[in-house]
Amino acid sequence: EEVSGAALLALNDRMVQQLVKKIGHQAVLMDLIKKYSQQKSGLDSLTGCCETDSQKFPEVISGKNLKSFLARHKMLQWTSSYALPEFPYDVKCILTEKKSPDHSMRIRIIEFLQADMTKYLEGSLYPNSQQYNIVVNALLQAYPFLDEDGNGFLLWKRALKDRFKYVRRPIEDDEQVLRNKCKFGHRRGQTRKSSFAENKLGDVQLQVQEEPAYLKGSTMDLHIKWLKQEYMKTQRNWKEVDNKMNVTIEIRRKMISNKAPLKDILKLFPFLRCPYQLFREFQLLTHMDIYKKTVGILEIYSENILSLYVVRNNPINIMLQENLKQHTEEDVLKYMKMTAACLLLPDVFGDDSSLFAAVNEEVKAMTPVLEVKNPFNVNSCAFALYVEREELAQLDDCTMALAALVAAFHVFNIPCPKRIHRTLKFLESLVFEVRNPACLP
């Protein structure tokens, strides 16, 4: 286009849009032009500084180490000096007034963050997890009110990742995008001109079917094989299990978000059947200790729940009162009351208790539900978590059972049924420590 010298510095936004096809590259070019204009007077001194540094550290700057040195330097820049972009005037007004942004305003904020990250990445459209974390943390530290429900970090991070997916979607000729699309199960050059339903179904089937082919022979495949073999042992190396589950979380979350069948997920990652690993997965996703939170919830609320008029004549409460007469030990009485409070929760909120727990009867719900046998018999009580009418895990007590139930909805990305919504909303508001948690009716 015969752009050089002064013409380069004279380019404006519209010219760059005509000159460069990709939004990310437009942002990078405009940023470089701006920086060059500001810093060209200091280029000579910068060159002299680099020459001096190369003499001081020849083993770092020269040859093979240059690429790794620059990569490490860029990562240090991200971690130590990332600053939020200058938002447009209307966005700044909303943020300054500490108003909760509506949907369209959230989209604008995400768009500016995505463009800014692309500049830092020099045009790449594939940030890593740490870079997403740094940007979202910077946003929430600058504007804490954006974390209004206590779960803002995950929501903003998901929105930012979705924005990058949206920008990458129509790009067919970028080498990095094509390489990653092939890597993660997309057909090369695949377009989205067919109907929405066909595409959606086709994408899911393609990704689920091709996943094993992509894994075969890879390092990830070796991790998964090790997990499957270790699960069959009676004595397990739990420290290494934790490490392998950490390494494989990305492929696991991708399968779950793509609606892979639960049986396929559990076949590859059988340790999700262990309550400890289910809770650990929940903590990796939400930064919350679900078991510890659940213990606190039942200890605080059990007496209040049992005192409510709405549960006075409930069969669970009647069963509790009969069994309380047979014991005097304080720990046993406390355990029984917590168990009853747990099982009575859906009745307190007017929800469908069959979608919460099947007490001494067969599980019928497809969504996560508890199976409870002899809840007040200290010697024979049994708790299990069922998903899709299949037993997922056996559980020690009501506290572990309740924690596993809440965790399963999040870990397996299962929508909450409307007929149990109020109960789970109450529990989640306490687990995620929202500012105005739901109350007992």
Side-chain angles (χ1 to χ4, degrees), residues 247-259:
V247 171
T248 56
I249 189 169
E250 187 174 345
I251 191 71
R252 188 162 60 252
R253 300 319 306 169
K254 179 173 166 44
M255 288 183 70
I256 291 170
S257 66
N258 285 338
K259 308 296 184 188

Side-chain angles (χ1 to χ4, degrees), residues 10-20 26 30-31:
L11 289 176
N12 58 31
D13 289 357
R14 183 172 296 178
M15 294 176 184
V16 169
Q17 287 174 8
Q18 294 176 347
L19 184 67
V20 182
Q26 292 173 14
M30 289 303 299
D31 187 55

Side-chain angles (χ1 to χ4, degrees), residues 364-383:
K364 296 177 181 177
M366 292 293 290
T367 51
V369 66
L370 300 176
E371 182 193 58
V372 185
K373 301 291 186 185
N374 308 316
F376 304 114
N377 188 318
V378 178
N379 298 316
S380 64
C381 63
F383 298 85

Side-chain angles (χ1 to χ4, degrees), residues 105-124:
M105 191 61 70
R106 284 175 181 270
I107 291 174
R108 295 201 65 198
I109 293 171
I110 288 296
E111 285 175 348
F112 271 84
L113 290 177
Q114 180 267 317
D116 192 58
M117 288 179 74
T118 305
K119 287 196 302 184
Y120 272 82
L121 292 165
E122 297 184 352
S124 171

Side-chain angles (χ1 to χ4, degrees), residues 187 190 196-207:
R187 290 193 181 96
Q190 183 183 21
F196 176 81
E198 289 173 347
N199 265 314
K200 204 69 179 173
L201 180 61
D203 284 350
V204 172
Q205 288 176 339
L206 175 68
Q207 287 159 355

Side-chain angles (χ1 to χ4, degrees), residues 68-96:
S68 62
F69 173 79
L70 291 174
R72 182 173 177 274
H73 177 66
K74 285 177 185 175
M75 182 52 69
L76 288 173
Q77 280 184 318
W78 271 91
T79 55
S80 61
S81 62
Y82 178 78
L84 289 171
E86 188 75 14
F87 290 113
Y89 178 74
D90 58 336
V91 176
K92 285 168 68 176
C93 287
I94 292 291
L95 295 175
T96 302

